[in-house]
Amino acid sequence: MVQQALPQRDPSDPDAPAGAAVPAPRLGKPLGATGRPPGPTVQAVALLLPGGPAAGARRPSYRALAAQRPLARRLTRAGGEEGLAVHVLRYRHRGWNGPAADPVRDARWAADEAVRRYGDVPVCLAGTGMGARAALLAAGHPAVTSVLAVAPWLPEPDAVLAPDPVRQLGGRRVLIVHGTNDERTDPDLSYRLAERAKKLNRDICRFEVHSDGHTLHQHRPEVLALAADFVRGTVLGHPYARPVADAFAAPPPLGLRMPLASGFGESLRH
C-alpha cells in the first residue's frame, strides 16, 4: 500500500501549526482576457506584485493584495478586450527576508506559470514598493518584456554599498514612478538605479510625482493612467502617450526625472 506523503511544516514560520503545508505562491483569478470562449484570447499578461515589509514569514495580508485592485481594474479596462490578462501574485511569505529575496523567487515562478497557462505571450511585471524591487530583479525571465516599478523599495545600505544588479533589465522596457516626498522608500535611490540601468539599456525612463508620498494618493488617477499607457505600449503594441515617448527618448537626467503632469491621461481613451 502506497503511503500518502504528509504535509511538511514550514520551518521559516514559527507560528505555523504543526502539520501545516509549506506555502506555495499563487496567482489570483485572471481579470480581463482568460483565453476561454466567449472572451478574447490572451495576448499578453500583466503580473501585479504587491508591497510588503522587510521581513515576515507569514502569508501576505489581504490588505496588501487588495491594494492592487485599483491598478488591476485600470489595466483590465485598458487592455482586457484586446487580450490582456491581469493577475495579482500572492507570495509564499509577506516579507523580503534578506538574502532569500522571497518575492523575487515568487515573481519568477509567476512568469513560468503565465507561460504554462497562456503560452509564448509577453509578460509585464508591475510591482509596488517591495514588489517593485522584486519586479526589477526578476526581469531577466525570458517571458518578461517590460517592468513597471512604482515607488520601489531599495533599502540602505544595500542599494548604495552593494547595488542591485541592472544587467537583467537589458532588452526590457522599464518605467519607474516615484513620489518626491516619499518617506518610506527613497526616491533618490530609484534615480540612482535608473541612472545605472540607462547606461546599459536606453529603454528606461522614470517619472517623478512632485509633492506626493509613498502611496501616490494625491495623483492616483495620473499614476494609473501612466501605468495603463505603459503596459498597453509594451505588451499590446500601442503607441505611447507623448510624455512617455519623450521620457524614453530624452537623455539623463531629463528622461529619468520626468515630471508627471497633473491631469495626465484625461485625454486618453483608455
Side-chain angles (χ1 to χ4, degrees):
M1 178 177 179
V2 178
Q3 291 184 337
Q4 183 177 5
L6 295 176
Q8 297 180 351
R9 182 175 182 272
D10 181 6
S12 67
D13 188 351
D15 298 320
V22 175
R26 296 205 306 262
L27 289 183
K29 294 181 179 179
L31 300 174
T34 64
R36 299 176 181 175
T41 302
V42 173
Q43 302 295 328
V45 178
L47 299 175
L48 275 51
L49 313 184
R58 292 176 178 267
R59 294 303 295 262
S61 68
Y62 283 99
R63 176 180 293 184
L65 301 176
Q68 300 300 304
R69 288 176 183 167
L71 178 57
R73 293 193 186 107
R74 185 56 187 264
L75 294 181
T76 300
R77 189 177 80 190
E81 293 184 357
E82 296 183 58
L84 177 65
V86 181
H87 290 271
V88 178
L89 170 61
R90 189 179 186 195
Y91 307 126
R92 292 168 298 123
H93 308 293
R94 67 177 60 186
W96 185 268
N97 299 323
D102 287 316
V104 181
R105 295 171 55 191
D106 293 348
R108 290 170 178 151
W109 170 87
D112 282 338
E113 180 66 8
V115 172
R116 186 190 70 80
R117 293 189 188 188
Y118 303 120
D120 185 17
V121 298
V123 173
C124 175
L125 298 179
T128 304
M130 179 189 75
R133 188 183 187 192
L136 291 164
L137 290 176
H141 190 283
V144 174
T145 60
S146 60
V147 175
L148 170 64
V150 180
W153 173 64
L154 301 168
E156 300 268 16
D158 297 337
V160 175
L161 300 181
D164 280 347
V166 294
R167 291 190 178 277
Q168 74 281 358
L169 299 175
R172 278 66 177 164
R173 292 286 178 106
V174 181
L175 171 63
I176 299 174
V177 189
H178 219 142
T180 57
N181 290 356
D182 193 332
E183 296 181 352
R184 292 174 55 187
T185 61
D186 190 346
D188 184 58
L189 295 180
S190 74
Y191 174 80
R192 295 186 197 181
L193 182 139
E195 190 177 40
R196 290 192 293 115
K198 189 76 170 180
K199 296 176 181 178
L200 300 174
N201 178 11
R202 61 177 296 179
D203 292 327
I204 293 178
C205 67
R206 178 178 172 275
F207 277 77
E208 294 185 335
V209 188
H210 290 289
S211 77
D212 217 337
H214 181 70
T215 62
L216 299 170
H217 180 73
Q218 297 179 38
H219 298 86
R220 177 172 292 179
E222 289 89 348
V223 172
L224 293 178
L226 178 66
D229 192 81
F230 172 76
V231 173
R232 279 166 48 94
T234 57
V235 298
L236 294 176
H238 287 278
Y240 298 114
R242 182 63 181 271
V244 179
D246 289 347
F248 275 121
L254 182 59
L256 304 181
R257 293 195 184 278
M258 187 69 69
L260 182 60
S262 178
F264 176 90
E266 290 181 355
S267 63
L268 302 177
R269 296 183 178 180
H270 55 73

